[in-house]
Amino acid sequence: GIQVEQSPPDLILQEGANSTLRCNFSDSVNNLQWFHQNPWGQLINLFYIPSGTKQNGRLSATTVATERYSLLYISSSQTTDSGVYFCAVSQGGKLIFGQGTELSVKP
Amino acid sequence: GAVVSQHPSRVICKSGTSVKIECRSLDFQATTMFWYRQFPKQSLMLMATSNEGSKATYEQGVEKDKFLINHASLTLSTLTVTSAHPEDSSFYICSARVRGGDGSGANVLTFGAGSRLTVL
C-alpha cells in the first residue's frame, strides 16, 4: 500500500517563529489533507490540497503532486498551534495517515 | 459547516463487557463512514469502512466479530466493541466524507471528536 512519511517527527518552537512540515508519499494520490489534532484529540481540517498552494491566515500549504510531497507552513507560531499535525492521502477511497509531526510552541 | 457527532466521548468498562460508540452526521447524509483507532503517541489506523445498508469493509487484521459495525441509516453508524479487553483500550474516531467540506466543492473527510475507551 501507499506509504506516507512526515518530517520532522517532533518540533519545538519559540512563539513567533516560523516552521515547515513535510509530507512525502510513495504513489499517486487523488486527495491530500492536512489536519491538526488538538490536545483533546479532535482532528481539525486545515487544508484539502491534492495539488497547488492554499493559504489560510498564518497557515499555508503546497502540494507538488508530480514529486509526491506536500509542505505545511506555519508562520508567527502561537502556543495554540501546539499539537500533532497529520497529513493524509487518499487512495482507493481510503484516507491513509502519516505518523504526524508533534509541534510544541513555547511562550 | 457539516458536523460529525460522536458519543460517548469517554467510556470506562470492565473486561468482558461490550461497548457501543455512535457516530452521527448532522445536517448531511453520509452513505459511507470510516472508523479509525489511535493508540497513544501513534497515528490513526483505519479499521473499517461503514456502508449504509450493507456490510462494513474491514481492513486487514481487524476482527469483524470483535468490532461490529452497523450503518442502519444515512446519518448513523455504530461501532460495538464486543467482549472488550484491556488491549482494546484506545481512542476511536469516526469520519464522514462531506462534499464541499472545505468550501472548494471537493469531498473532504470530517472527523468526530473521538471516543476514548478504557477497559479495566
Side-chain angles (χ1 to χ4, degrees):
Chain A
I2 192 168
Q3 304 297 314
V4 184
E5 295 182 358
Q6 290 186 243
S7 60
D10 304 280
L11 187 58
I12 300 174
L13 297 176
Q14 206 64 37
E15 198 169 27
N18 303 327
S19 63
T20 301
L21 282 57
R22 187 177 180 101
C23 174
N24 293 331
F25 42 97
S26 61
D27 203 350
S28 300
V29 299
N30 50 28
N31 178 12
L32 187 146
Q33 289 182 245
W34 281 97
F35 295 91
H36 175 218
Q37 188 172 37
N38 67 23
W40 298 272
Q42 175 73 63
L43 280 163
I44 308 298
N45 286 310
L46 296 178
F47 294 103
Y48 166 83
I49 186 164
S51 64
T53 297
K54 288 186 178 180
Q55 181 159 6
N56 184 1
R58 295 182 295 105
L59 302 181
S60 64
T62 295
T63 297
V64 183
T66 53
E67 297 187 20
R68 299 179 185 169
Y69 75 88
S70 184
L71 302 174
L72 177 70
Y73 305 97
I74 304 174
S75 64
S76 304
S77 59
Q78 300 175 359
T79 56
T80 51
D81 295 332
S82 296
V84 184
Y85 290 81
F86 289 103
C87 80
V89 301
S90 178
Q91 193 179 56
K94 303 175 186 178
L95 204 62
I96 308 301
F97 281 74
Q99 291 300 308
T101 292
E102 184 165 7
L103 174 66
S104 179
V105 181
K106 304 296 186 185
Chain B
V3 174
V4 174
S5 173
Q6 196 171 335
H7 178 80
S9 59
R10 188 179 293 267
V11 58
I12 300 172
C13 70
K14 292 183 179 180
S15 186
T17 60
S18 294
V19 174
K20 181 185 285 189
I21 300 169
E22 293 187 347
C23 180
R24 294 182 184 274
S25 58
L26 305 184
D27 300 325
F28 72 99
Q29 294 180 335
T31 56
T32 303
M33 290 186 176
F34 302 90
W35 287 95
Y36 288 82
R37 178 169 54 182
Q38 185 181 31
F39 291 109
K41 299 292 186 181
Q42 294 189 23
S43 186
L44 281 76
M45 299 299 298
L46 180 64
M47 298 175 66
T49 302
S50 171
N51 305 298
E52 188 269 335
S54 65
K55 291 183 179 180
T57 306
Y58 290 82
E59 294 301 301
Q60 192 172 8
V62 178
E63 300 174 57
K64 61 181 178 182
D65 293 331
K66 180 165 190 60
F67 299 100
L68 300 179
I69 291 173
N70 184 277
H71 195 151
S73 78
L74 287 170
T75 59
L76 174 64
S77 175
T78 60
L79 168 68
T80 301
V81 183
T82 62
S83 186
H85 291 284
E87 58 265 29
D88 299 323
S89 298
S90 188
F91 191 55
Y92 293 88
I93 316 173
C94 70
S95 67
R97 192 171 285 122
V98 181
R99 184 163 184 83
D102 71 330
S104 71
N107 289 325
V108 299
L109 273 195
T110 297
F111 285 79
S115 300
R116 193 167 303 280
L117 170 63
T118 302
V119 185
L120 303 176

